[in-house]
Amino acid sequence: MRPVVIVNVAMSADGKLSTRERRQVKISGKDDFSRVDRLKAGCDAVMVGIGTVLADDPSLTIKSPDLKKERLDSGRPEHPVRVVIDSRARTPPGASILHKGDGQRVIAVSARADPGRVEALRTTATVIVAGEDEVDLCRVMDELGKMGIRRLVAEGGGTLIAGLVRAGLVDELYTYVGSIVIGGKDAPTPADGPGWTKETEFARLALAEVTRIDDGVLLHWTIKTA
Ligand code: NAP
């Protein structure tokens, strides 16, 4: 059984995830940070694309001591499984995601990944090989489901989110819209890649909730199935 997939993303008022040099930007504030920590703590796995690992070096660990304790008290690991989508096994061996906080790591690569790099990653992570060229996200979700992952939050970036939407894997989407303008036609947006051209291909959303948080607004969407 594939996990329920929730996408969480923060964008500026003009729809950008970071600067055009892909430099991480503080888009939300303390309350939204706590919300995202809670969302992650309620999931079995947190997923990012290799672009985000290379740009931001996130650890994706749970930060709140109370949430960590809650997870441990309920028999779950302190942190969710951390998953990287990385066709060519480019995750640096010293990446924070591989070392910060206890718990399992999964790197999903494709058949074109260099075998030496894959072996090196196997010392710190479980490696899933899925897809010939890019990672086959449906197969990854099947494998994660077999590992017992029922609920997963994908934190971006825009290329991974577009891939998840294209594969029809997204169930819910949280878009935080912050009170800054980043600008730049080349700055990442929540669904990058080639995009879609036919209206029939566009994902259709239903607005579930709108909440004011910090100096911005959180939009909670569900994906309409055809
Ligand atoms: P990304 O989405 O993190 O990773 C994309 C990469 O994943 C692809 O280039 C590809 O690289 C790999 N991939 C493999 N199979 C894929 C598939 N089937 N579908 C999609 N991707 C696949 O990278 P990004 O778009 O460059 O985003 C990074 C930027 O987003 C950074 O600037 C970061 O700061 C920002 N970000 C912002 C937020 C926010 O909430 N504001 C959250 C996260 C990230 P390979 O071909 O090498 O595998």
Side-chain angles (χ1 to χ4, degrees):
M1 197 173 59
R2 285 180 188 163
V4 169
V5 175
I6 302 155
V7 168
N8 183 75
V9 72
M11 65 180 191
S12 57
D14 59 321
K16 310 294 181 188
L17 305 189
S18 62
T19 66
R20 67 169 192 271
E21 322 99 290
R22 293 181 139 60
R23 187 168 42 80
Q24 196 175 20
V25 174
K26 187 170 174 293
I27 294 174
S28 65
K30 201 162 66 54
D31 290 350
D32 192 59
F33 184 86
S34 302
R35 174 194 67 83
V36 176
D37 208 31
R38 239 183 354 265
L39 176 65
K40 288 205 291 233
C43 289
D44 306 303
V46 184
M47 176 181 280
V48 286
I50 181 62
T52 298
V53 171
L54 296 176
D56 303 348
D57 190 28
S59 68
L60 304 179
T61 51
I62 304 300
K63 304 297 184 296
S64 150
D66 288 350
L67 290 172
K68 286 194 269 192
K69 183 172 181 306
E70 242 173 62
R71 285 183 60 95
L72 290 171
D73 288 351
S74 62
R76 292 172 297 162
E78 189 172 35
H79 304 286
V81 176
R82 277 146 287 160
V83 184
V84 183
I85 302 300
D86 178 13
S87 317
R88 289 172 278 167
R90 289 188 291 152
T91 302
S96 296
I97 204 164
L98 297 176
H99 300 285
K100 288 202 179 152
D102 289 345
Q104 192 178 2
R105 280 81 174 173
V106 173
I107 311 285
V109 304
S110 73
R112 71 170 166 148
D114 174 75
R117 296 187 71 93
V118 171
E119 276 323 299
L121 286 174
R122 283 193 205 278
T123 60
T124 44
T126 303
V127 175
I128 295 175
V129 184
E132 289 305 310
D133 188 22
E134 63 173 17
V135 174
D136 181 332
L137 296 171
C138 293
R139 278 177 53 198
V140 171
M141 292 301 174
D142 288 338
E143 292 303 316
L144 294 175
K146 284 184 207 157
M147 289 166 53
I149 289 166
R150 298 282 165 262
R151 199 172 168 80
L152 175 147
V153 58
E155 289 224 87
T159 310
L160 173 64
I161 296 172
L164 290 168
V165 171
R166 179 168 293 107
L169 289 166
V170 179
D171 297 286
E172 291 176 50
L173 169 64
Y174 286 95
T175 322
Y176 182 84
V177 186
S179 56
I180 50 170
V181 173
I182 296 176
K185 67 178 169 47
D186 296 326
T189 71
D192 281 335
W196 296 271
T197 51
K198 297 193 196 99
E199 289 207 19
T200 50
E201 296 170 333
F202 299 162
R204 302 282 163 183
L205 313 177
L207 187 59
E209 205 174 359
V210 180
T211 317
R212 190 179 174 141
I213 304 181
D214 298 317
D215 283 335
V217 65
L218 177 71
L219 306 173
H220 179 196
W221 309 91
T222 56
I223 309 289
K224 286 187 185 166
T225 45

